[in-house]
Amino acid sequence: MDRPELVVEVDRGWARPVVLAPVFALIALVGGALPSFSLRANLLVLGAGGALLWLGMSATVPKRPAPARLPRAAAWWLLPVGLFAVVEGVTFLIGSRAYPTLSRLADPLLEHYLARAAAYFGWLWAFWAMVRR
């Protein structure tokens, strides 16, 4: 009887959560200390996001298998997300103060250092999850 060979792909040492959590925490702590929409904050986001984008496009990170097909219920989430994206984009482009963008609404919450650092940390982990797919 012929049995198929089982192969388990092992993460690289630097791609494990025990290594990435402190690195992401350090980036988040630095990002939380920067003023909102400053040049340094934008450069940090572009640098971290660009590095993660490069990792996602390259074959250096082992990928997790994507689902074969999205469930039908997932399609219903595209409607509010798409509507939100259109409203956000139009509001940003026309520069309206009557209908503020999400970033303007979140500014009072993100004025505090810990909230901004937590938002950076969450953004990094979410982007890393997308890189792994």
Side-chain angles (χ1 to χ4, degrees):
M1 216 189 272
D2 230 357
R3 296 172 112 198
E5 188 176 319
L6 294 176
V7 178
V8 176
E9 200 167 320
V10 179
D11 287 345
R12 297 176 188 257
W14 59 267
R16 294 186 178 153
V18 73
V19 174
L20 287 177
V23 171
F24 286 171
L26 180 64
I27 294 170
L29 291 173
V30 169
L34 299 175
S36 184
F37 297 109
S38 67
L39 177 63
R40 292 179 295 170
N42 288 337
L43 289 176
L44 177 72
V45 168
L46 288 174
L52 288 171
L53 180 67
W54 176 76
L55 284 171
M57 300 298 282
S58 69
T60 58
V61 178
K63 307 288 188 223
R64 292 186 178 144
R69 194 164 175 248
L70 285 176
R72 286 183 69 80
W76 284 103
W77 281 101
L78 293 177
L79 181 66
V81 168
L83 182 64
F84 174 76
V86 167
V87 169
E88 187 78 8
V90 168
T91 304
F92 177 75
L93 289 175
I94 64 173
S96 173
R97 295 264 185 205
Y99 302 103
T101 61
L102 181 63
S103 60
R104 287 196 189 271
L105 292 174
D107 269 348
L109 299 172
L110 296 177
E111 284 178 354
H112 307 291
Y113 171 73
L114 287 178
R116 191 181 356 252
Y120 267 106
F121 191 74
W123 172 74
L124 287 167
W125 273 113
F127 206 159
W128 179 248
M130 287 190 287
V131 165
R132 295 296 307 263
R133 286 283 175 189

